[in-house]
PDB file of all heavy atoms in Angstrom:
ATOM      1  N   GLN A  26      -4.739   3.306 -15.179  1.00 90.00           N
ATOM      2  CA  GLN A  26      -4.791   4.633 -14.580  1.00 90.00           C
ATOM      3  C   GLN A  26      -4.990   5.730 -15.616  1.00 90.00           C
ATOM      4  O   GLN A  26      -5.565   6.777 -15.324  1.00 90.00           O
ATOM      5  CB  GLN A  26      -3.495   4.910 -13.798  1.00 90.00           C
ATOM      6  CG  GLN A  26      -3.497   4.370 -12.381  1.00 90.00           C
ATOM      7  CD  GLN A  26      -4.326   5.250 -11.466  1.00 90.00           C
ATOM      8  OE1 GLN A  26      -5.555   5.291 -11.553  1.00 90.00           O
ATOM      9  NE2 GLN A  26      -3.660   5.969 -10.577  1.00 90.00           N
ATOM     10  N   GLU A  27      -4.507   5.494 -16.819  1.00 90.00           N
ATOM     11  CA  GLU A  27      -4.625   6.509 -17.874  1.00 90.00           C
ATOM     12  C   GLU A  27      -6.040   6.610 -18.446  1.00 90.00           C
ATOM     13  O   GLU A  27      -6.362   7.583 -19.126  1.00 90.00           O
ATOM     14  CB  GLU A  27      -3.640   6.191 -19.006  1.00 90.00           C
ATOM     15  CG  GLU A  27      -2.176   6.394 -18.610  1.00 90.00           C
ATOM     16  CD  GLU A  27      -1.222   5.829 -19.656  1.00 90.00           C
ATOM     17  OE1 GLU A  27      -1.714   5.348 -20.704  1.00 90.00           O
ATOM     18  OE2 GLU A  27       0.002   5.847 -19.424  1.00 90.00           O
ATOM     19  N   GLN A  28      -6.886   5.601 -18.197  1.00 91.00           N
ATOM     20  CA  GLN A  28      -8.265   5.638 -18.695  1.00 91.00           C
ATOM     21  C   GLN A  28      -9.092   6.542 -17.793  1.00 91.00           C
ATOM     22  O   GLN A  28      -9.207   6.292 -16.592  1.00 91.00           O
ATOM     23  CB  GLN A  28      -8.880   4.240 -18.729  1.00 91.00           C
ATOM     24  CG  GLN A  28      -8.037   3.217 -19.463  1.00 91.00           C
ATOM     25  CD  GLN A  28      -7.665   3.638 -20.859  1.00 91.00           C
ATOM     26  OE1 GLN A  28      -8.532   3.957 -21.669  1.00 91.00           O
ATOM     27  NE2 GLN A  28      -6.372   3.658 -21.151  1.00 91.00           N
ATOM     28  N   PRO A  29      -9.667   7.624 -18.322  1.00 91.00           N
ATOM     29  CA  PRO A  29     -10.395   8.592 -17.482  1.00 91.00           C
ATOM     30  C   PRO A  29     -11.477   7.926 -16.632  1.00 91.00           C
ATOM     31  O   PRO A  29     -12.408   7.309 -17.147  1.00 91.00           O
ATOM     32  CB  PRO A  29     -11.010   9.554 -18.508  1.00 91.00           C
ATOM     33  CG  PRO A  29     -10.137   9.424 -19.710  1.00 91.00           C
ATOM     34  CD  PRO A  29      -9.684   7.996 -19.749  1.00 91.00           C
ATOM     35  N   GLY A  30     -11.328   8.031 -15.314  1.00 90.00           N
ATOM     36  CA  GLY A  30     -12.355   7.555 -14.390  1.00 90.00           C
ATOM     37  C   GLY A  30     -12.397   6.064 -14.161  1.00 90.00           C
ATOM     38  O   GLY A  30     -13.197   5.598 -13.341  1.00 90.00           O
ATOM     39  N   LEU A  31     -11.577   5.280 -14.854  1.00 94.00           N
ATOM     40  CA  LEU A  31     -11.671   3.818 -14.697  1.00 94.00           C
ATOM     41  C   LEU A  31     -11.311   3.397 -13.273  1.00 94.00           C
ATOM     42  O   LEU A  31     -11.976   2.548 -12.678  1.00 94.00           O
ATOM     43  CB  LEU A  31     -10.755   3.112 -15.696  1.00 94.00           C
ATOM     44  CG  LEU A  31     -10.742   1.581 -15.618  1.00 94.00           C
ATOM     45  CD1 LEU A  31     -12.128   1.006 -15.878  1.00 94.00           C
ATOM     46  CD2 LEU A  31      -9.735   0.987 -16.606  1.00 94.00           C
ATOM     47  N   VAL A  32     -10.265   3.960 -12.708  1.00 95.00           N
ATOM     48  CA  VAL A  32      -9.870   3.666 -11.328  1.00 95.00           C
ATOM     49  C   VAL A  32     -10.459   4.746 -10.425  1.00 95.00           C
ATOM     50  O   VAL A  32     -10.194   5.933 -10.611  1.00 95.00           O
ATOM     51  CB  VAL A  32      -8.339   3.625 -11.184  1.00 95.00           C
ATOM     52  CG1 VAL A  32      -7.939   3.450  -9.722  1.00 95.00           C
ATOM     53  CG2 VAL A  32      -7.758   2.498 -12.034  1.00 95.00           C
ATOM     54  N   ASP A  33     -11.272   4.326  -9.446  1.00 93.00           N
ATOM     55  CA  ASP A  33     -11.915   5.325  -8.581  1.00 93.00           C
ATOM     56  C   ASP A  33     -11.452   5.273  -7.123  1.00 93.00           C
ATOM     57  O   ASP A  33     -11.855   6.106  -6.314  1.00 93.00           O
ATOM     58  CB  ASP A  33     -13.441   5.200  -8.648  1.00 93.00           C
ATOM     59  CG  ASP A  33     -13.967   3.842  -8.175  1.00 93.00           C
ATOM     60  OD1 ASP A  33     -13.196   3.077  -7.554  1.00 93.00           O
ATOM     61  OD2 ASP A  33     -15.144   3.547  -8.430  1.00 93.00           O
ATOM     62  N   HIS A  34     -10.596   4.302  -6.779  1.00 94.00           N
ATOM     63  CA  HIS A  34     -10.097   4.250  -5.398  1.00 94.00           C
ATOM     64  C   HIS A  34      -8.827   3.401  -5.364  1.00 94.00           C
ATOM     65  O   HIS A  34      -8.739   2.377  -6.047  1.00 94.00           O
ATOM     66  CB  HIS A  34     -11.147   3.641  -4.460  1.00 94.00           C
ATOM     67  CG  HIS A  34     -10.690   3.564  -3.028  1.00 94.00           C
ATOM     68  ND1 HIS A  34     -10.576   4.664  -2.217  1.00 94.00           N
ATOM     69  CD2 HIS A  34     -10.304   2.495  -2.277  1.00 94.00           C
ATOM     70  CE1 HIS A  34     -10.147   4.280  -1.023  1.00 94.00           C
ATOM     71  NE2 HIS A  34      -9.974   2.989  -1.037  1.00 94.00           N
ATOM     72  N   ILE A  35      -7.835   3.849  -4.578  1.00 94.00           N
ATOM     73  CA  ILE A  35      -6.563   3.131  -4.453  1.00 94.00           C
ATOM     74  C   ILE A  35      -6.296   2.852  -2.979  1.00 94.00           C
ATOM     75  O   ILE A  35      -6.422   3.744  -2.138  1.00 94.00           O
ATOM     76  CB  ILE A  35      -5.401   3.948  -5.059  1.00 94.00           C
ATOM     77  CG1 ILE A  35      -5.665   4.236  -6.536  1.00 94.00           C
ATOM     78  CG2 ILE A  35      -4.079   3.191  -4.907  1.00 94.00           C
ATOM     79  CD1 ILE A  35      -4.656   5.166  -7.167  1.00 94.00           C
ATOM     80  N   HIS A  36      -5.934   1.601  -2.686  1.00 94.00           N
ATOM     81  CA  HIS A  36      -5.640   1.207  -1.304  1.00 94.00           C
ATOM     82  C   HIS A  36      -4.294   0.506  -1.245  1.00 94.00           C
ATOM     83  O   HIS A  36      -3.987  -0.347  -2.093  1.00 94.00           O
ATOM     84  CB  HIS A  36      -6.734   0.280  -0.777  1.00 94.00           C
ATOM     85  CG  HIS A  36      -6.468  -0.219   0.615  1.00 94.00           C
ATOM     86  ND1 HIS A  36      -6.141  -1.533   0.883  1.00 94.00           N
ATOM     87  CD2 HIS A  36      -6.472   0.416   1.815  1.00 94.00           C
ATOM     88  CE1 HIS A  36      -5.959  -1.683   2.190  1.00 94.00           C
ATOM     89  NE2 HIS A  36      -6.143  -0.517   2.775  1.00 94.00           N
ATOM     90  N   TYR A  37      -3.506   0.863  -0.249  1.00 94.00           N
ATOM     91  CA  TYR A  37      -2.173   0.281  -0.059  1.00 94.00           C
ATOM     92  C   TYR A  37      -2.223  -0.768   1.038  1.00 94.00           C
ATOM     93  O   TYR A  37      -2.724  -0.512   2.135  1.00 94.00           O
ATOM     94  CB  TYR A  37      -1.190   1.395   0.319  1.00 94.00           C
ATOM     95  CG  TYR A  37       0.172   0.933   0.777  1.00 94.00           C
ATOM     96  CD1 TYR A  37       1.057   0.297  -0.089  1.00 94.00           C
ATOM     97  CD2 TYR A  37       0.594   1.174   2.089  1.00 94.00           C
ATOM     98  CE1 TYR A  37       2.318  -0.105   0.341  1.00 94.00           C
ATOM     99  CE2 TYR A  37       1.860   0.782   2.529  1.00 94.00           C
ATOM    100  CZ  TYR A  37       2.712   0.140   1.649  1.00 94.00           C
ATOM    101  OH  TYR A  37       3.956  -0.253   2.070  1.00 94.00           O
ATOM    102  N   ARG A  38      -1.726  -1.973   0.742  1.00 94.00           N
ATOM    103  CA  ARG A  38      -1.667  -3.046   1.725  1.00 94.00           C
ATOM    104  C   ARG A  38      -0.195  -3.436   1.894  1.00 94.00           C
ATOM    105  O   ARG A  38       0.373  -4.132   1.059  1.00 94.00           O
ATOM    106  CB  ARG A  38      -2.483  -4.253   1.271  1.00 94.00           C
ATOM    107  CG  ARG A  38      -2.593  -5.378   2.313  1.00 94.00           C
ATOM    108  CD  ARG A  38      -3.346  -6.566   1.740  1.00 94.00           C
ATOM    109  NE  ARG A  38      -4.719  -6.234   1.455  1.00 94.00           N
ATOM    110  CZ  ARG A  38      -5.715  -6.333   2.333  1.00 94.00           C
ATOM    111  NH1 ARG A  38      -5.464  -6.768   3.559  1.00 94.00           N
ATOM    112  NH2 ARG A  38      -6.945  -6.009   1.992  1.00 94.00           N
ATOM    113  N   PRO A  39       0.457  -2.955   2.966  1.00 93.00           N
ATOM    114  CA  PRO A  39       1.888  -3.200   3.115  1.00 93.00           C
ATOM    115  C   PRO A  39       2.198  -4.659   3.427  1.00 93.00           C
ATOM    116  O   PRO A  39       1.363  -5.396   3.962  1.00 93.00           O
ATOM    117  CB  PRO A  39       2.282  -2.300   4.282  1.00 93.00           C
ATOM    118  CG  PRO A  39       1.030  -2.194   5.100  1.00 93.00           C
ATOM    119  CD  PRO A  39      -0.100  -2.196   4.103  1.00 93.00           C
ATOM    120  N   SER A  40       3.393  -5.060   3.102  1.00 92.00           N
ATOM    121  CA  SER A  40       3.839  -6.405   3.440  1.00 92.00           C
ATOM    122  C   SER A  40       4.051  -6.516   4.943  1.00 92.00           C
ATOM    123  O   SER A  40       4.231  -5.518   5.645  1.00 92.00           O
ATOM    124  CB  SER A  40       5.145  -6.725   2.720  1.00 92.00           C
ATOM    125  OG  SER A  40       6.207  -5.944   3.246  1.00 92.00           O
ATOM    126  N   GLN A  41       4.034  -7.730   5.404  1.00 92.00           N
ATOM    127  CA  GLN A  41       4.278  -7.975   6.824  1.00 92.00           C
ATOM    128  C   GLN A  41       5.661  -7.465   7.234  1.00 92.00           C
ATOM    129  O   GLN A  41       5.833  -6.886   8.315  1.00 92.00           O
ATOM    130  CB  GLN A  41       4.162  -9.474   7.085  1.00 92.00           C
ATOM    131  CG  GLN A  41       4.331  -9.877   8.532  1.00 92.00           C
ATOM    132  CD  GLN A  41       4.364 -11.389   8.656  1.00 92.00           C
ATOM    133  OE1 GLN A  41       5.363 -12.012   8.343  1.00 92.00           O
ATOM    134  NE2 GLN A  41       3.254 -11.973   9.085  1.00 92.00           N
ATOM    135  N   TYR A  42       6.647  -7.645   6.370  1.00 91.00           N
ATOM    136  CA  TYR A  42       8.016  -7.233   6.680  1.00 91.00           C
ATOM    137  C   TYR A  42       8.116  -5.715   6.830  1.00 91.00           C
ATOM    138  O   TYR A  42       8.718  -5.210   7.785  1.00 91.00           O
ATOM    139  CB  TYR A  42       8.961  -7.716   5.580  1.00 91.00           C
ATOM    140  CG  TYR A  42      10.383  -7.218   5.746  1.00 91.00           C
ATOM    141  CD1 TYR A  42      11.225  -7.788   6.690  1.00 91.00           C
ATOM    142  CD2 TYR A  42      10.864  -6.178   4.959  1.00 91.00           C
ATOM    143  CE1 TYR A  42      12.535  -7.319   6.855  1.00 91.00           C
ATOM    144  CE2 TYR A  42      12.158  -5.707   5.113  1.00 91.00           C
ATOM    145  CZ  TYR A  42      12.983  -6.281   6.064  1.00 91.00           C
ATOM    146  OH  TYR A  42      14.269  -5.814   6.229  1.00 91.00           O
ATOM    147  N   ASN A  43       7.543  -4.966   5.891  1.00 92.00           N
ATOM    148  CA  ASN A  43       7.622  -3.504   5.970  1.00 92.00           C
ATOM    149  C   ASN A  43       6.897  -2.961   7.194  1.00 92.00           C
ATOM    150  O   ASN A  43       7.325  -1.973   7.796  1.00 92.00           O
ATOM    151  CB  ASN A  43       7.064  -2.875   4.695  1.00 92.00           C
ATOM    152  CG  ASN A  43       8.035  -2.966   3.542  1.00 92.00           C
ATOM    153  OD1 ASN A  43       9.234  -3.134   3.746  1.00 92.00           O
ATOM    154  ND2 ASN A  43       7.532  -2.873   2.322  1.00 92.00           N
ATOM    155  N   THR A  44       5.814  -3.600   7.566  1.00 94.00           N
ATOM    156  CA  THR A  44       5.104  -3.197   8.786  1.00 94.00           C
ATOM    157  C   THR A  44       5.965  -3.471  10.018  1.00 94.00           C
ATOM    158  O   THR A  44       6.036  -2.647  10.943  1.00 94.00           O
ATOM    159  CB  THR A  44       3.771  -3.951   8.894  1.00 94.00           C
ATOM    160  OG1 THR A  44       2.918  -3.533   7.824  1.00 94.00           O
ATOM    161  CG2 THR A  44       3.082  -3.659  10.228  1.00 94.00           C
ATOM    162  N   LEU A  45       6.646  -4.602  10.042  1.00 94.00           N
ATOM    163  CA  LEU A  45       7.538  -4.924  11.164  1.00 94.00           C
ATOM    164  C   LEU A  45       8.682  -3.914  11.243  1.00 94.00           C
ATOM    165  O   LEU A  45       9.016  -3.434  12.339  1.00 94.00           O
ATOM    166  CB  LEU A  45       8.090  -6.341  10.985  1.00 94.00           C
ATOM    167  CG  LEU A  45       9.156  -6.793  11.993  1.00 94.00           C
ATOM    168  CD1 LEU A  45       8.616  -6.733  13.422  1.00 94.00           C
ATOM    169  CD2 LEU A  45       9.643  -8.196  11.650  1.00 94.00           C
ATOM    170  N   VAL A  46       9.271  -3.581  10.110  1.00 94.00           N
ATOM    171  CA  VAL A  46      10.383  -2.620  10.093  1.00 94.00           C
ATOM    172  C   VAL A  46       9.937  -1.269  10.641  1.00 94.00           C
ATOM    173  O   VAL A  46      10.655  -0.632  11.426  1.00 94.00           O
ATOM    174  CB  VAL A  46      10.939  -2.468   8.666  1.00 94.00           C
ATOM    175  CG1 VAL A  46      11.888  -1.276   8.565  1.00 94.00           C
ATOM    176  CG2 VAL A  46      11.652  -3.739   8.232  1.00 94.00           C
ATOM    177  N   ARG A  47       8.739  -0.827  10.261  1.00 94.00           N
ATOM    178  CA  ARG A  47       8.251   0.471  10.742  1.00 94.00           C
ATOM    179  C   ARG A  47       8.080   0.464  12.255  1.00 94.00           C
ATOM    180  O   ARG A  47       8.516   1.373  12.955  1.00 94.00           O
ATOM    181  CB  ARG A  47       6.918   0.812  10.085  1.00 94.00           C
ATOM    182  CG  ARG A  47       6.320   2.121  10.644  1.00 94.00           C
ATOM    183  CD  ARG A  47       4.900   2.338  10.191  1.00 94.00           C
ATOM    184  NE  ARG A  47       4.431   3.648  10.633  1.00 94.00           N
ATOM    185  CZ  ARG A  47       3.503   3.826  11.563  1.00 94.00           C
ATOM    186  NH1 ARG A  47       2.977   2.772  12.186  1.00 94.00           N
ATOM    187  NH2 ARG A  47       3.099   5.033  11.897  1.00 94.00           N
ATOM    188  N   ASN A  48       7.438  -0.567  12.797  1.00 94.00           N
ATOM    189  CA  ASN A  48       7.199  -0.619  14.233  1.00 94.00           C
ATOM    190  C   ASN A  48       8.497  -0.798  15.018  1.00 94.00           C
ATOM    191  O   ASN A  48       8.634  -0.259  16.118  1.00 94.00           O
ATOM    192  CB  ASN A  48       6.203  -1.739  14.555  1.00 94.00           C
ATOM    193  CG  ASN A  48       4.783  -1.381  14.179  1.00 94.00           C
ATOM    194  OD1 ASN A  48       4.070  -0.732  14.944  1.00 94.00           O
ATOM    195  ND2 ASN A  48       4.371  -1.778  12.982  1.00 94.00           N
ATOM    196  N   PHE A  49       9.439  -1.521  14.456  1.00 94.00           N
ATOM    197  CA  PHE A  49      10.727  -1.673  15.120  1.00 94.00           C
ATOM    198  C   PHE A  49      11.459  -0.334  15.187  1.00 94.00           C
ATOM    199  O   PHE A  49      12.070   0.008  16.202  1.00 94.00           O
ATOM    200  CB  PHE A  49      11.579  -2.708  14.371  1.00 94.00           C
ATOM    201  CG  PHE A  49      12.842  -3.091  15.090  1.00 94.00           C
ATOM    202  CD1 PHE A  49      12.826  -4.057  16.089  1.00 94.00           C
ATOM    203  CD2 PHE A  49      14.055  -2.481  14.781  1.00 94.00           C
ATOM    204  CE1 PHE A  49      13.989  -4.410  16.759  1.00 94.00           C
ATOM    205  CE2 PHE A  49      15.227  -2.824  15.441  1.00 94.00           C
ATOM    206  CZ  PHE A  49      15.194  -3.801  16.442  1.00 94.00           C
ATOM    207  N   SER A  50      11.369   0.451  14.091  1.00 94.00           N
ATOM    208  CA  SER A  50      12.061   1.741  14.069  1.00 94.00           C
ATOM    209  C   SER A  50      11.446   2.735  15.048  1.00 94.00           C
ATOM    210  O   SER A  50      12.128   3.644  15.539  1.00 94.00           O
ATOM    211  CB  SER A  50      12.032   2.324  12.654  1.00 94.00           C
ATOM    212  OG  SER A  50      10.702   2.659  12.272  1.00 94.00           O
TER     213      SER A  50
END
């Protein structure tokens, strides 16, 4: 991340458990 421009896009892929917790809540 500290290298200028090396990373151009970030995507989050949640775990199955965290997705279940969110929908349950």
Side-chain angles (χ1 to χ4, degrees):
Q26 275 283 71
E27 291 169 4
Q28 308 306 305
L31 179 60
V32 175
D33 61 14
H34 180 73
I35 301 173
H36 177 250
Y37 170 67
R38 186 184 295 272
S40 69
Q41 183 187 76
Y42 174 76
N43 283 339
T44 294
L45 174 59
V46 168
R47 176 190 186 249
N48 285 276
F49 189 83
S50 66

